[in-house]
Amino acid sequence: MTSITITRPDDWHLHLRDGEQLRAVLPHTAKQFARAIIMPNLKPPVVTTDMALAYRARILAALPAALQSRFEPLMTLYLTDNTPPAEIIRAKESGVVHGVKLYPAGATTNSDAGVTDIAKCYAALETMEKSNLPLLVHGEVTDPDVDVFDKEKVFIDRILTPLTQRFPNLRIVFEHVTTRDAVAFVTEASRQVAATITAHHLLLNRNAIFQSGIRPHYFCLPVLKREIHRQALLEAATSSNPQFFLGTDSAPHAQTSKENACGCAGIFTAHAAIELYATAFEQAGALDKLEAFASFYGADFYQLPRNIGHITLNKEKWAVPEQYEFAGEKLIPLYAETSLGWKMV
Ligand code: DOR
Ligand code: ZN
């Protein structure tokens, strides 16, 4: 196969940041995707509908002229211990907020204001369940006694399983799943539960972080896992199960914040997102499954129309740049200075 044409995809999990950083990264996403679910972990976090509306306006204003009206940001709220049910209702009624993100406090970048005890959120979750507003979950426990590679599995056992029992009609997206345990959980759950899978977790296992030295640009959260888990993710992504769909978790940090004694978690993949997924699907011999994963199942889960336009990828080698401009700093993309075999036309 030398070329594939698919319905224009959406990114169901994206970090765009704000200000000049937003202006630097947004075109990468908007040239490929029609829509994206925008993560709310700004400083300060997007905790109200008014903040989400203001952030949405900043994103639209940051779109380059050529991409105006070609890209729609789908906003989210950042769940806290104190999110009032009335705020959930406002969010739903706004028509622009499509989910509420649960960050366990301390689990990842800008999660300090996140949830310290899920029981504090029961009233908000009940309102979400009633008003059909999905919960988007960073599924890792923060208990320092739990091994970093087990945080996802323990989260399933301690938090997610009880949550699905307590709120059986709450729609849940288990974000950026990284383990076969998470794949099994989602597969066995009701159709109210879905998951996003990143390109980097499909392409890499944890060896990448320690390839003849410590490689900060392969550090993200949840951290890359062993090969058996990568295989389980590939199988899920290519299985035609509509519970699994594309979410890049593209998470830009300046080079100085990554190459640091305490480097930030996050891998920037927006520069080549669909090409990276095509690479993973081709390796699995399942390019024919890419379109539904990238362009259908997410829209269906979010109860939004599928896109009408198309994109074409050619089997063509191109060199990933060494860096991109990032608000006066440098942004190192995944696979910088190496070549990819698929290129969007
Ligand atoms: O690697 C990550 N980066 N994981 C997250 O959960 C957050 C993200 C970020 O915002 O940088
Ligand atoms: Zn994320």
Side-chain angles (χ1 to χ4, degrees), residues 13 15 17 39 41 101 103 107-110 138 140 176 200-201 219-223 249-253 258 264-267:
H13 184 128
H15 298 271
R17 313 305 188 208
M39 287 298 129
N41 61 331
K101 180 73 188 272
Y103 287 108
T108 187
T109 308
N110 297 344
H138 183 108
E140 291 191 289
H176 43 54
H200 44 283
H201 289 102
F219 174 55
C220 62
L221 288 171
V223 73
D249 198 18
S250 178
H253 291 277
K258 294 287 296 172
C264 292
I267 299 181

Side-chain angles (χ1 to χ4, degrees), residues 19-28 268 325-327 331:
E20 256 189 86
Q21 294 186 340
L22 162 65
R23 274 188 292 281
V25 295
L26 177 60
H28 292 284
F268 180 68
E325 195 283 323
F326 190 51
L331 177 59

Side-chain angles (χ1 to χ4, degrees), residues 88-110:
I88 300 296
I89 291 166
R90 262 196 295 279
K92 178 70 188 183
E93 286 176 351
S94 75
V96 305
V97 175
H98 294 268
V100 178
K101 180 73 188 272
L102 162 60
Y103 287 108
T108 187
T109 308
N110 297 344

